Amino acid sequence: MDITLITGFLGAGKTTFLNRFIREYADGAELGVIVNDLSELEVDGELIRGGHKVSEEKGTLISLFNGSISSGRSTDFSEALRTMRGRGIGRLMIETSGGSHPAKVLEAIRATPGANLGAVVTLVDSRMILHDYDEGRTLIEAVLEGDRPTENLLADQVGAASVVVMTKIDLVPENSLRTIFRGMMALNPEAVFVACAYGKMDWKILSQAGPPAADLPVKAPRDLPEIVSRVVRDPRPLHPARFHELYRSKLGIGVYRSKGFIWFASRPDQVLLWNQAGGALGIELVAFWKVHMLEHDSRLLPEEKDHLRRLLAGQYPVFGDRNCELTLIGLEQDVRIFEAELLKCFCTPGEISTWRNGGTFADPWPSKLARL
């Protein structure tokens, strides 16, 4: 079983990268995927599953969430490796959570009979390096100081790689790329460095690079950041203007990541995928709510309407299947403060009454969204 390990800090683009690989995979060996999400809200697993090429039903997908496979879920990870090997998977892709340290993950892989470690791929958010670490300068300084847990983790992830993929280069000025690359290369001069946007790259690089050099053992974890995750679930719509203002002016630097599925009072038909990594925000249209289709789509046949009614049976009487599920990941105090502000973004009873009566809401978000 040939294994490719995909690691990298929170929001670096690992799931986008993996999804693209799965879509374009054309080798003969049976493909399997293990995906790890730190939060109890299984966003990454759901996005991988939604592509339909791998699934639990086919025995080609194992999703381990609510804990890191380098710590709390390490035993489950070792069992998942043995399971995939027993199912005859020829090519296994592993996506770690952003808070995972590669040392323990690599230890489990190397201890699995029949597991052949290939490329260790670390994704690095170029935009984050530009804006949060002064093109990499302050990251190098923090690593040299040795007492900055978050920076230590990021540096160890880069140092463990045989391939470092610099993501989101489309969001970085060209004149900054050289400095950013030079800084990351100082952390791992032996790795192959690749630039990409939207997960697009030449997949041959992974097989040609192979595993990290045998004489470059992965360091044992130093002090790791105390990264926590909190999940917010609420059937009420978000007020689009307050949600926009929250992320524009109240996002603490310790909120590393937030993601999930949401809906706005101004867009009652749209299932929106929310993504925030550092200061980068993203919102995508991924589906339409069943209850809106039932109530407003005149093209539906009677049998289709009956089917939707059965699917919606037992759902919230006002909102139907509409629901907001968001996970917040970061330092505990910052996450706790931000969560309290996020809860104020949900519509009040008066605003819900306005929404039910067809009222309008100020919506500063882009009006045109790509449907994935």
Side-chain angles (χ1 to χ4, degrees), residues 129-131 133-137 175-177 179-181 183-184:
I129 299 299
L130 170 66
H131 292 290
Y133 294 107
D134 188 25
E135 298 180 323
R137 297 180 185 89
N175 58 5
S176 294
L177 286 175
T179 304
I180 291 172
F181 267 77
M184 295 304 98

Side-chain angles (χ1 to χ4, degrees), residues 22 26 49 70-71 78 82 105 115 118 142 160 166 175 181 186 191 222 245 270 285 301 311 333 360 363:
I22 294 170
R49 190 180 297 113
S70 69
S71 53
S78 295
R82 292 190 291 269
V105 179
M166 304 299 298
N175 58 5
F181 267 77
R222 295 175 277 185
E245 179 62 18
Q270 298 179 358
L285 170 62
L301 299 173
L311 292 176
Q333 182 176 1
T360 59
D363 187 339

Side-chain angles (χ1 to χ4, degrees), residues 45 50 71 268 287 312 331-332 360:
S71 53
L312 290 167
L331 303 180
E332 184 172 7
T360 59

Side-chain angles (χ1 to χ4, degrees), residues 50-88:
H52 305 297
K53 293 191 83 172
V54 294
S55 67
E56 286 91 349
E57 291 77 9
K58 297 175 183 177
T60 53
L61 172 66
I62 296 177
S63 177
L64 300 174
F65 53 99
N66 198 19
S68 168
I69 58 175
S70 69
S71 53
R73 301 218 62 179
S74 58
T75 300
D76 298 321
F77 175 56
S78 295
E79 178 61 29
L81 288 171
R82 292 190 291 269
T83 298
M84 284 294 192
R85 173 63 177 163
R87 290 173 181 170

